[in-house]
């Protein structure tokens, strides 16, 4: 039987999904994060040492737990996407999608011909090693495609990107969005905050789930109020550094 994508189902139902970013490579870290109570965890291969072959043991490590893995490839590249899908990734977060043409390219990369360009393989983890009947005809039903909106120009095109058949959700990248607006490193700038709010409303108005990553917990709550239904609230490396520094400071002060 084709594995069910619980994360995709939750997005369709409009249930809030709280997530975490996994930027530390390795199956042990991925498994540990999967036990921490988050609805979804992003395995990041764009801004992390994690590479395509690393994702397989990380997916396997997370498989026994209720936390859904979401894999971010390094780019909107059909070869990278094909490999991740063959490894069994069911939800992909595609970075830096700027327009409807790039959105269509991502959709084609996850679909088999004649609807798309995904290369056909037989013996792979995605088909549970050829035990899923008619996998190639059914696969798309349980795949979830999320596209990242990361520039002011992309925000202006949210309606056309969201209208592309096969796009399941849109995700705001506030760091690159701030940079595109001339406020690199300052995601709290009022203009950036206003642009994020505008983007969330535009995504919701277009009929798609909206997501974001922010380590500012009060801002995360504001984003949820504005309409995000999948909200990442932390990054593993940031949490580790914060905890380690806080512990060190406690003993230095004594």
């Amino acid at each position: 039987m084709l594995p069910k994508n619980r994360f995709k189902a939750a997005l369709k139902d409009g249930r809030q999904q709280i997530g975490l970013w996994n930027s530390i490579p390795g199956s042990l870290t991925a498994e540990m994060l999967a036990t921490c109570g988050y609805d979804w965890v992003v395995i990041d291969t764009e801004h992390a040492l994690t590479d395509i072959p690393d994702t397989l043991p990380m997916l396997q490590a997370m498989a026994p737990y209720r936390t859904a893995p979401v894999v971010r490839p390094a780019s909107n590249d059909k070869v990278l996407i094909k490999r991740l899908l063959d490894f069994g990734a069911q939800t992909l977060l595609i970075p830096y999608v700027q327009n409807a043409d790039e959105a269509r390219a991502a959709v084609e990369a996850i679909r088999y011909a004649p609807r798309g360009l995904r290369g056909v393989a037989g013996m792979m983890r995605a088909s549970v090693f050829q035990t899923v009947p008619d996998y190639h005809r059914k696969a798309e039903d349980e795949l979830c495609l999320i596209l990242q909106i990361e520039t002011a120009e992309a925000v202006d095109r949210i309606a056309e990107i969201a209208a592309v058949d096969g796009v399941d959700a849109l995700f705001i990248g506030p760091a690159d969005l701030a940079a595109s607006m001339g406020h690199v490193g300052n995601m709290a700038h009022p203009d950036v905050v206003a642009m994020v709010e505008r983007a969330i409303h535009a995504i919701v108005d277009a009929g798609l789930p909206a997501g974001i990553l922010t380590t500012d917990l009060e801002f995360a709550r504001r984003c949820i109020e504005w309409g995000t239904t999948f909200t990442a609230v932390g990054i593993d490396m940031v949490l580790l550094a914060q905890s380690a520094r806080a512990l060190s400071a406690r003993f230095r002060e004594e």
Side-chain angles (χ1 to χ4, degrees):
M1 179 181 295
L2 187 66
K4 295 296 180 183
N5 189 332
R6 297 188 304 274
F7 179 72
K8 182 176 183 177
L11 291 188
K12 284 185 175 180
D13 291 342
R15 289 181 273 129
Q16 181 63 233
Q17 302 291 288
I18 300 300
L20 190 75
W21 229 251
N22 175 196
S23 58
I24 301 174
S27 58
L28 189 62
T29 300
E31 183 174 12
M32 181 273 293
L33 294 176
T35 71
C36 292
Y38 293 93
D39 298 298
W40 56 292
V41 167
V42 169
I43 299 173
D44 188 13
T45 76
E46 182 189 15
H47 288 294
L49 285 173
T50 306
D51 210 341
I52 294 289
D54 303 317
T55 60
L56 175 56
M58 295 169 79
L59 289 168
Q60 291 169 325
M62 292 180 66
Y65 305 97
R66 63 173 295 274
T67 299
V70 175
V71 183
R72 179 163 73 168
S75 67
N76 186 6
D77 180 278
K78 67 180 182 179
V79 175
L80 298 179
I81 291 170
K82 170 181 62 179
R83 296 184 70 192
L84 291 170
L85 293 177
D86 286 354
F87 285 164
Q90 289 187 300
T91 302
L92 297 182
L93 177 64
I94 309 299
Y96 211 82
V97 173
Q98 289 286 85
N99 52 52
D101 287 340
E102 293 180 4
R104 279 188 283 270
V107 171
E108 288 180 343
I110 74 165
R111 288 175 167 173
Y112 289 113
R115 288 161 55 82
L117 300 171
R118 179 181 173 186
V120 179
M123 181 58 72
M124 56 183 172
R125 183 171 180 264
S127 65
V128 195
F129 306 103
Q130 293 187 316
T131 64
V132 176
D134 297 323
Y135 168 80
H136 299 90
R137 285 193 290 270
K138 298 176 180 177
E140 190 183 325
D141 295 342
E142 299 299 334
L143 296 182
C144 182
L145 181 64
I146 307 168
L147 307 182
Q148 282 196 245
I149 303 298
E150 301 191 77
T151 67
E153 292 78 11
V155 172
D156 289 338
R157 299 179 184 131
I158 281 175
E160 68 178 68
I161 293 170
V164 174
D165 178 60
V167 176
D168 294 296
L170 297 181
F171 183 91
I172 301 160
D176 283 298
L177 179 59
S180 80
M181 297 174 66
H183 303 297
V184 63
N186 187 9
M187 290 174 282
H189 190 283
D191 291 346
V192 178
V193 172
M195 185 68 79
V196 169
E197 181 179 7
R198 176 188 159 197
I200 292 170
H201 290 313
I203 295 167
V204 173
D205 289 346
L208 290 183
I212 197 167
L213 163 66
T214 175
T215 59
D216 181 334
L217 301 190
E218 289 306 313
F219 186 58
R221 293 185 179 94
R222 290 177 68 185
C223 291
I224 291 171
E225 291 173 359
W226 292 332
T228 61
T229 49
F230 62 112
T231 312
V233 297
I235 303 170
D236 55 3
M237 286 188 70
V238 173
L239 294 172
L240 176 60
Q242 288 174 340
S243 297
R245 289 166 183 160
L247 180 60
S248 173
R250 284 183 59 185
F251 283 89
R252 296 296 183 187
E253 293 166 358
E254 293 179 358

Short mmCIF file of all heavy atoms in Angstrom, two decimals, residues 95-125:
data_model
loop_
_atom_site.label_atom_id
_atom_site.label_comp_id
_atom_site.label_asym_id
_atom_site.label_seq_id
_atom_site.Cartn_x
_atom_site.Cartn_y
_atom_site.Cartn_z
N PRO A 95 13.13 25.66 -2.89
CA PRO A 95 13.52 27.04 -2.60
C PRO A 95 13.41 27.97 -3.80
O PRO A 95 13.47 27.55 -4.94
CB PRO A 95 14.98 26.89 -2.16
CG PRO A 95 15.47 25.68 -2.89
CD PRO A 95 14.29 24.75 -2.96
N TYR A 96 13.22 29.24 -3.48
CA TYR A 96 13.40 30.35 -4.40
C TYR A 96 12.63 30.19 -5.72
O TYR A 96 13.21 30.23 -6.80
CB TYR A 96 14.88 30.55 -4.68
CG TYR A 96 15.26 32.00 -4.95
CD1 TYR A 96 15.47 32.89 -3.90
CD2 TYR A 96 15.41 32.46 -6.25
CE1 TYR A 96 15.80 34.21 -4.15
CE2 TYR A 96 15.75 33.78 -6.51
CZ TYR A 96 15.95 34.65 -5.46
OH TYR A 96 16.28 35.96 -5.71
N VAL A 97 11.33 30.03 -5.60
CA VAL A 97 10.49 29.97 -6.80
C VAL A 97 9.96 31.38 -7.06
O VAL A 97 9.32 31.99 -6.20
CB VAL A 97 9.34 28.97 -6.60
CG1 VAL A 97 8.36 29.04 -7.77
CG2 VAL A 97 9.91 27.56 -6.47
N GLN A 98 10.23 31.88 -8.24
CA GLN A 98 9.98 33.29 -8.54
C GLN A 98 8.73 33.56 -9.38
O GLN A 98 8.21 34.68 -9.37
CB GLN A 98 11.19 33.88 -9.28
CG GLN A 98 12.43 34.04 -8.43
CD GLN A 98 12.30 35.21 -7.48
OE1 GLN A 98 11.75 35.08 -6.39
NE2 GLN A 98 12.80 36.37 -7.88
N ASN A 99 8.26 32.55 -10.12
CA ASN A 99 7.15 32.81 -11.02
C ASN A 99 6.43 31.51 -11.37
O ASN A 99 6.84 30.43 -10.94
CB ASN A 99 7.65 33.51 -12.29
CG ASN A 99 8.81 32.77 -12.94
OD1 ASN A 99 8.72 31.57 -13.20
ND2 ASN A 99 9.90 33.48 -13.21
N ALA A 100 5.39 31.63 -12.17
CA ALA A 100 4.59 30.47 -12.53
C ALA A 100 5.37 29.45 -13.35
O ALA A 100 5.16 28.24 -13.21
CB ALA A 100 3.34 30.91 -13.28
N ASP A 101 6.28 29.90 -14.20
CA ASP A 101 7.07 28.97 -15.00
C ASP A 101 7.94 28.09 -14.11
O ASP A 101 8.06 26.87 -14.34
CB ASP A 101 7.95 29.72 -16.00
CG ASP A 101 7.16 30.31 -17.16
OD1 ASP A 101 6.03 29.84 -17.41
OD2 ASP A 101 7.66 31.25 -17.80
N GLU A 102 8.56 28.69 -13.10
CA GLU A 102 9.39 27.91 -12.18
C GLU A 102 8.52 26.98 -11.33
O GLU A 102 8.94 25.87 -10.99
CB GLU A 102 10.22 28.84 -11.31
CG GLU A 102 11.27 29.60 -12.11
CD GLU A 102 12.11 30.54 -11.26
OE1 GLU A 102 11.93 30.56 -10.02
OE2 GLU A 102 12.95 31.26 -11.83
N ALA A 103 7.32 27.41 -11.01
CA ALA A 103 6.39 26.56 -10.28
C ALA A 103 6.00 25.35 -11.13
O ALA A 103 5.97 24.21 -10.64
CB ALA A 103 5.14 27.34 -9.89
N ARG A 104 5.74 25.58 -12.41
CA ARG A 104 5.39 24.47 -13.31
C ARG A 104 6.56 23.50 -13.45
O ARG A 104 6.35 22.28 -13.54
CB ARG A 104 4.96 25.01 -14.67
CG ARG A 104 3.51 25.48 -14.72
CD ARG A 104 3.07 25.82 -16.13
NE ARG A 104 3.59 27.11 -16.55
CZ ARG A 104 2.98 28.28 -16.36
NH1 ARG A 104 1.81 28.30 -15.76
NH2 ARG A 104 3.52 29.40 -16.78
N ALA A 105 7.78 24.01 -13.47
CA ALA A 105 8.95 23.14 -13.57
C ALA A 105 9.04 22.23 -12.35
O ALA A 105 9.38 21.04 -12.48
CB ALA A 105 10.22 23.98 -13.69
N ALA A 106 8.73 22.75 -11.18
CA ALA A 106 8.76 21.93 -9.97
C ALA A 106 7.67 20.86 -10.01
O ALA A 106 7.90 19.70 -9.63
CB ALA A 106 8.58 22.82 -8.73
N VAL A 107 6.50 21.24 -10.49
CA VAL A 107 5.41 20.27 -10.60
C VAL A 107 5.78 19.17 -11.59
O VAL A 107 5.57 17.97 -11.32
CB VAL A 107 4.10 20.97 -11.04
CG1 VAL A 107 3.02 19.93 -11.37
CG2 VAL A 107 3.61 21.92 -9.95
N GLU A 108 6.33 19.54 -12.72
CA GLU A 108 6.74 18.54 -13.71
C GLU A 108 7.79 17.59 -13.15
O GLU A 108 7.82 16.40 -13.49
CB GLU A 108 7.29 19.23 -14.97
CG GLU A 108 6.22 19.91 -15.81
CD GLU A 108 6.80 20.58 -17.04
OE1 GLU A 108 8.04 20.79 -17.08
OE2 GLU A 108 6.03 20.89 -17.96
N ALA A 109 8.65 18.09 -12.26
CA ALA A 109 9.71 17.27 -11.70
C ALA A 109 9.18 16.18 -10.77
O ALA A 109 9.84 15.15 -10.59
CB ALA A 109 10.72 18.14 -10.96
N ILE A 110 8.01 16.37 -10.18
CA ILE A 110 7.46 15.34 -9.28
C ILE A 110 6.46 14.42 -9.98
O ILE A 110 6.02 13.43 -9.40
CB ILE A 110 6.82 15.95 -8.02
CG1 ILE A 110 5.48 16.62 -8.32
CG2 ILE A 110 7.78 16.90 -7.33
CD1 ILE A 110 4.66 16.92 -7.09
N ARG A 111 6.09 14.73 -11.22
CA ARG A 111 5.10 13.94 -11.93
C ARG A 111 5.75 13.09 -13.01
O ARG A 111 6.66 13.54 -13.72
CB ARG A 111 4.05 14.86 -12.59
CG ARG A 111 3.09 15.51 -11.62
CD ARG A 111 2.18 16.49 -12.34
NE ARG A 111 1.05 16.89 -11.49
CZ ARG A 111 0.17 17.84 -11.81
NH1 ARG A 111 0.29 18.47 -12.97
NH2 ARG A 111 -0.82 18.13 -10.98
N TYR A 112 5.24 11.88 -13.15
CA TYR A 112 5.67 11.03 -14.24
C TYR A 112 5.00 11.45 -15.55
O TYR A 112 3.93 12.09 -15.55
CB TYR A 112 5.31 9.57 -13.95
CG TYR A 112 6.14 8.93 -12.85
CD1 TYR A 112 5.56 8.57 -11.65
CD2 TYR A 112 7.49 8.69 -13.02
CE1 TYR A 112 6.30 7.97 -10.63
CE2 TYR A 112 8.26 8.10 -12.03
CZ TYR A 112 7.65 7.74 -10.83
OH TYR A 112 8.41 7.17 -9.83
N ALA A 113 5.63 11.10 -16.66
CA ALA A 113 5.04 11.34 -17.98
C ALA A 113 3.72 10.57 -18.08
O ALA A 113 3.55 9.53 -17.44
CB ALA A 113 6.01 10.89 -19.07
N PRO A 114 2.75 11.09 -18.81
CA PRO A 114 2.86 12.25 -19.71
C PRO A 114 2.61 13.60 -19.04
O PRO A 114 2.70 14.63 -19.69
CB PRO A 114 1.78 11.97 -20.75
CG PRO A 114 0.71 11.24 -19.96
CD PRO A 114 1.45 10.39 -18.98
N ARG A 115 2.33 13.59 -17.72
CA ARG A 115 2.03 14.85 -17.03
C ARG A 115 3.28 15.57 -16.55
O ARG A 115 3.20 16.75 -16.17
CB ARG A 115 1.12 14.56 -15.82
CG ARG A 115 -0.29 14.19 -16.22
CD ARG A 115 -1.02 13.48 -15.09
NE ARG A 115 -1.04 14.19 -13.83
CZ ARG A 115 -1.88 15.17 -13.51
NH1 ARG A 115 -2.76 15.58 -14.42
NH2 ARG A 115 -1.86 15.73 -12.32
N GLY A 116 4.43 14.88 -16.54
CA GLY A 116 5.64 15.49 -16.02
C GLY A 116 6.89 14.87 -16.59
O GLY A 116 6.86 14.19 -17.63
N LEU A 117 8.01 15.08 -15.86
CA LEU A 117 9.32 14.68 -16.37
C LEU A 117 10.08 13.79 -15.39
O LEU A 117 11.26 13.53 -15.60
CB LEU A 117 10.16 15.94 -16.64
CG LEU A 117 9.59 16.93 -17.66
CD1 LEU A 117 10.41 18.21 -17.65
CD2 LEU A 117 9.57 16.31 -19.05
N ARG A 118 9.44 13.32 -14.33
CA ARG A 118 10.16 12.49 -13.35
C ARG A 118 10.62 11.19 -14.01
O ARG A 118 9.83 10.48 -14.63
CB ARG A 118 9.27 12.19 -12.15
CG ARG A 118 9.94 11.31 -11.11
CD ARG A 118 9.01 11.00 -9.94
NE ARG A 118 9.61 10.04 -9.02
CZ ARG A 118 9.00 9.50 -7.98
NH1 ARG A 118 7.74 9.84 -7.71
NH2 ARG A 118 9.62 8.61 -7.21
N GLY A 119 11.90 10.90 -13.86
CA GLY A 119 12.43 9.66 -14.42
C GLY A 119 11.86 8.45 -13.72
O GLY A 119 11.62 8.46 -12.50
N VAL A 120 11.64 7.39 -14.47
CA VAL A 120 11.01 6.18 -13.95
C VAL A 120 12.05 5.18 -13.47
O VAL A 120 12.95 4.80 -14.22
CB VAL A 120 10.11 5.53 -15.02
CG1 VAL A 120 9.47 4.26 -14.47
CG2 VAL A 120 9.03 6.51 -15.48
N ALA A 121 11.93 4.79 -12.21
CA ALA A 121 12.76 3.71 -11.65
C ALA A 121 11.83 2.66 -11.06
O ALA A 121 10.69 2.96 -10.71
CB ALA A 121 13.71 4.26 -10.59
N GLY A 122 12.31 1.46 -10.94
CA GLY A 122 11.48 0.39 -10.40
C GLY A 122 11.80 0.06 -8.96
O GLY A 122 11.03 0.33 -8.04
N MET A 123 12.99 -0.49 -8.74
CA MET A 123 13.38 -0.94 -7.41
C MET A 123 13.89 0.26 -6.60
O MET A 123 15.05 0.66 -6.72
CB MET A 123 14.46 -2.02 -7.51
CG MET A 123 14.93 -2.56 -6.17
SD MET A 123 13.60 -3.29 -5.17
CE MET A 123 13.25 -4.80 -6.08
N MET A 124 13.02 0.82 -5.80
CA MET A 124 13.37 2.01 -5.01
C MET A 124 12.55 2.02 -3.72
O MET A 124 11.50 1.38 -3.61
CB MET A 124 13.11 3.29 -5.80
CG MET A 124 11.69 3.42 -6.31
SD MET A 124 11.44 4.88 -7.32
CE MET A 124 9.76 4.57 -7.91
N ARG A 125 13.03 2.78 -2.75
CA ARG A 125 12.34 2.85 -1.46
C ARG A 125 10.94 3.46 -1.60
O ARG A 125 10.02 3.08 -0.88
CB ARG A 125 13.17 3.68 -0.48
CG ARG A 125 12.57 3.76 0.92
CD ARG A 125 13.55 4.39 1.90
NE ARG A 125 12.98 4.45 3.24
CZ ARG A 125 12.36 5.50 3.74
NH1 ARG A 125 12.23 6.61 3.01
NH2 ARG A 125 11.86 5.48 4.97
#
